[in-house]
Amino acid sequence: MRLVVTGREGQVAASLLEAGQRHAGVEVIAIGRPELDLARPDTVIEAIAAAQPDMVVSVAAYTAVDQAEDEPELAFAVNAVGAGKVAQAAARLGVPVIHLSTDYVFDGSKDSAYVETDATAPLGVYGASKLAGEQAVAAANPRHLILRTAWVYSPFGRNFVKTMLRLAADRDEIAVVADQWGNPTSALDIADAILHAAAQLHGDKRFGAFGVYHLVGTGETNWSGFARHILDTSQAFDGPWARVRDIATMDYPTKARRPSNSRLSSAKFASTFAWTAPHWRQSTEKVVRRLLIGGTRQAVTA
């Protein structure tokens, strides 16, 4: 099975490339700029066709949440038009597309975990562009899996885990928002889930479980709780540690509004594909340990 992944440098793309090496019979090929540039739709179909995929995994995206408020045209060009072109390219080749989306399609007003049938209501440009991308993907290719995830971190790229470790190396105390709740999700786990689902889709051409799914780490916390666990784990491995001080969202203003409740239920994915993510604490410990003692300590400052 050959999986063609859009983007080379993102957290999930890097995790898929790594995970693919552990799966016999799976070839993961990542294509990105300049060959494939979602902001230039004319490049997408040709680049994907040349890679001859059995399945396309659409993870490249515009993810600068605050900057998107100033660049709505670019955000929609990449996350909506570009994503639709990826799905169209897969459809022309007669193969499924797995597309990664976000918790930001919701406004966070629900008092429990969101399920796939809940009404969407993005608070900002980024969420709106990702929702438009979901719609474009579904319209372009009926054989689609749209996977909404949240609070993604990994040993790769820039993310909250690396930020906490970097700040703790220079500060005694870090102020972290305590009134936003969600499910920290390791990109390593997302990659494993995608490969698991892709194998089922590829192995059974009649498998009809296409549609929208939520895919997040097991368990929930707020940002300050996430930060404390990161730093306590770091301390256990002789890494940097700092006190975490709880603050409210209003004390840390950002250009784009964030949902106060980003909790997603992954029950539908677990039931359909017989796969459940590890608890977020366990996955966080794995990433922190790898960053600190797995030969990539320098990556913390990336």
Side-chain angles (χ1 to χ4, degrees):
M1 178 175 62
R2 176 179 290 179
L3 267 64
V4 169
V5 180
T6 63
R8 295 191 184 99
E9 299 177 359
Q11 296 187 75
V12 177
S15 297
L16 279 165
L17 285 168
E18 182 179 271
Q21 298 175 6
R22 303 192 304 269
H23 287 70
V26 174
E27 181 183 15
V28 178
I29 299 173
I31 51 177
R33 292 176 293 188
E35 294 85 2
L36 183 146
D37 185 346
L38 296 188
R40 296 171 54 220
D42 55 298
T43 67
V44 173
I45 291 177
E46 181 178 349
I48 291 177
Q52 298 181 317
D54 294 307
M55 196 167 305
V56 176
V57 184
S58 172
V59 298
Y62 180 108
T63 58
V65 176
D66 290 315
Q67 193 171 336
E69 297 298 310
D70 295 324
E71 297 180 334
E73 294 85 0
L74 180 57
F76 273 86
V78 173
N79 292 342
V81 179
K85 282 294 183 182
V86 171
Q88 180 185 355
R92 286 190 178 185
L93 297 170
V95 302
V97 62
I98 299 177
H99 176 71
L100 206 64
S101 190
T102 175
D103 57 302
Y104 277 60
V105 300
F106 298 112
D107 64 9
S109 61
K110 189 179 179 181
D111 59 4
S112 59
Y114 282 93
V115 297
E116 290 81 357
T117 54
D118 283 327
T120 53
L123 294 175
V125 171
Y126 169 71
S129 70
K130 290 296 289 182
L131 179 58
E134 291 185 9
Q135 295 163 346
V137 167
N141 191 338
R143 300 176 68 199
H144 62 266
L145 284 187
I146 294 170
L147 305 178
R148 294 173 180 153
T149 192
W151 294 24
V152 179
Y153 64 93
S154 71
F156 312 111
R158 297 181 180 180
N159 56 71
F160 187 76
V161 170
K162 286 188 177 183
T163 297
M164 291 300 102
L165 294 175
R166 174 175 53 80
L167 293 178
D170 298 324
R171 304 181 186 181
D172 295 326
E173 182 179 88
I174 306 172
V176 184
V177 169
D179 56 358
Q180 295 176 21
W181 291 78
N183 314 93
T185 309
S186 170
L188 304 177
D189 296 335
I190 295 173
D192 286 341
I194 288 174
L195 290 175
H196 179 84
Q200 294 189 35
L201 294 173
H202 183 65
D204 185 353
K205 304 299 184 183
R206 299 167 300 170
F207 194 69
F210 295 107
V212 178
Y213 292 83
H214 293 171
L215 176 63
V216 292
T218 299
E220 61 187 49
T221 187
N222 56 19
W223 284 113
S224 62
F226 188 18
R228 286 190 178 91
H229 187 62
I230 293 165
L231 298 178
D232 287 346
T233 301
S234 173
Q235 186 180 45
F237 292 120
D238 297 321
W241 182 87
R243 293 183 302 276
V244 174
R245 176 168 56 88
D246 292 358
I247 61 171
T249 297
M250 67 176 62
D251 298 322
Y252 188 74
T254 56
K255 182 166 291 189
R257 294 171 61 198
R258 268 73 170 171
S260 59
N261 174 29
S262 283
R263 293 174 293 173
L264 305 179
S265 169
S266 298
K268 179 183 173 183
F269 187 91
S271 175
T272 303
F273 295 101
W275 190 93
T276 301
H279 196 278
W280 70 266
R281 288 179 174 270
Q282 177 185 343
S283 294
T284 300
E285 290 160 11
K286 179 179 178 180
V287 169
V288 172
R289 177 186 176 92
R290 177 167 163 177
L291 285 168
L292 294 177
I293 67 174
T296 57
R297 181 181 289 266
Q298 71 278 6
V300 171
T301 59

